[in-house]
């Protein structure tokens, strides 16, 4: 049994915490909005007043936060975790922040605190049931040390050295967001030519987009458009000057969604006629 500190109890963080408690780990939790730790406290976790308190006695520290800025603040800000991380503790960075941010983070950690970047593929429901795919990057020794914890969450995929887990997550999320955008385009064509959306989805689900159709119709997933847009920008930044027209168009599409807190499946919603310019007013 490990003593684990979980920094970040949003939707996915809470799901991870429930799974860790269910598999017998001692869990201390912290979140910037303290009220969001309540479900895990009720399930048996201990809430900490700040990140430093949360990690003080931890063997493994997990961060599951919105973006690289949040990770930096929680680890290195006032009452940040860094001041209390003990030698021998392992930091597992499970947010989606990209390989460059992971390398910057690793450079700022004390030599006695190994880092494993381990973002996940899968929904919150999959996390609670131990069905995630955990994309781990780090030295072999560091991944070996935290493997018993990560394997409780699902299938552990060793991607290589430090930063490779974060890199693989960008690859997978690029495939996901562009595929869901492709479903949205296909359904727009279905609307235009008079094909019923359900009939179109049934047909699309038998072809190469079947996985994307399943994700677009999922009701147990929570991948906010704002987070998908952030991940698309990370992938575009990693590409530099290499053209990626499909990803670029998808990133623009995500940025234009009116409700950035809605799930990614919102991309496939039928456009509201009220939200468009009437034909007679178009140039």
């Amino acid at each position: 049994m490990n003593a684990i500190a979980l920094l970040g109890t949003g939707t996915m963080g809470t799901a991870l915490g429930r799974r860790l408690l269910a598999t017998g780990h001692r869990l201390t939790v912290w979140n910037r909005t303290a009220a969001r730790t309540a479900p895990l406290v009720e399930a048996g976790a201990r809430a900490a007043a700040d990140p430093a308190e949360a990690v003080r006695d931890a063997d493994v520290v997990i961060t599951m936060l919105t973006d690289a800025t949040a990770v930096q603040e929680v680890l290195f800000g006032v009452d940040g975790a860094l001041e209390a991380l003990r030698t021998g503790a392992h930091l597992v960075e499970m947010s989606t922040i990209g390989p460059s941010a992971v390398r910057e983070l690793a450079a700022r950690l004390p030599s006695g605190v190994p880092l494993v970047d381990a973002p996940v593929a899968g929904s919150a429901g999959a996390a609670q049931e131990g069905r995630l795919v955990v994309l781990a990057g780090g030295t072999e020794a560091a991944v070996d040390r935290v493997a018993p914890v990560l394997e409780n969450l699902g299938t552990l995929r060793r991607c290589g050295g430090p930063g490779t887990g974060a890199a693989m997550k960008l690859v997978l999320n690029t495939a996901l967001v562009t595929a869901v955008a492709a479903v949205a385009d296909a359904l727009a064509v279905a609307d235009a030519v008079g094909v019923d959306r359900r009939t179109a989805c049934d047909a699309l689900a038998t072809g190469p987009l079947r996985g994307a159709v399943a994700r677009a119709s999922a009701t147990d997933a929570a991948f906010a458009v704002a987070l998908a847009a952030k991940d698309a920008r990370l992938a575009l930044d990693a590409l530099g000057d290499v053209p990626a027209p499909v990803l670029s168009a998808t990133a623009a599409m995500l940025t234009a969604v009116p409700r950035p807190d809605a799930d990614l499946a919102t991309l496939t919603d039928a456009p509201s006629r009220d939200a468009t310019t009437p034909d007679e007013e178009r140039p």
Side-chain angles (χ1 to χ4, degrees), residues 249-280:
T250 302
M253 188 177 182
L254 291 164
T255 303
V257 171
R259 287 187 52 214
D261 60 330
D263 182 66
L264 177 64
T266 301
L267 288 186
T268 64
D269 289 350
S272 168
R273 184 64 176 170
D274 292 340
T276 62
T277 305
D279 288 343
E280 60 271 19

Side-chain angles (χ1 to χ4, degrees), residues 106-158:
R108 296 185 65 181
L109 291 177
S111 59
V113 180
L115 171 67
V116 174
D117 50 296
V120 300
S123 66
Q128 289 192 194
E129 297 167 9
R131 296 187 290 105
L132 293 172
V133 177
V134 183
L135 309 167
T139 65
E140 186 173 350
V143 176
D144 284 346
R145 171 62 185 83
V146 299
V149 173
L150 300 181
E151 287 170 346
N152 287 319
L153 305 175
T155 301
L156 178 62
R157 181 183 294 275
R158 295 173 184 252

Side-chain angles (χ1 to χ4, degrees), residues 170 174 231-245 247-249 251-252:
L170 288 191
T174 296
D231 294 352
R233 289 192 299 271
L234 285 173
L236 288 169
D237 288 345
L239 283 166
D241 294 332
V242 177
L247 179 57
S248 296

Side-chain angles (χ1 to χ4, degrees), residues 87-117:
T87 300
H90 283 56
L91 176 63
V92 181
E93 210 308 288
M94 303 190 79
S95 322
T96 301
I97 61 175
S100 295
V102 167
R103 288 191 290 268
E104 292 174 10
L105 173 58
R108 296 185 65 181
L109 291 177
S111 59
V113 180
L115 171 67
V116 174
D117 50 296

Side-chain angles (χ1 to χ4, degrees), residues 1-7 26-29 46 48 51-63 81 84-92 112-114 145-146 149:
M1 179 173 66
N2 288 280
I4 300 175
L6 173 61
L7 306 178
R26 291 186 289 117
L27 185 66
T28 300
V29 295
R46 181 181 73 87
E53 180 188 334
V55 308
R56 189 160 284 118
D57 299 316
D59 302 311
V60 177
V61 176
I62 295 174
T63 50
L85 280 172
R86 60 184 183 80
T87 300
H90 283 56
L91 176 63
V92 181
V113 180
R145 171 62 185 83
V146 299
V149 173

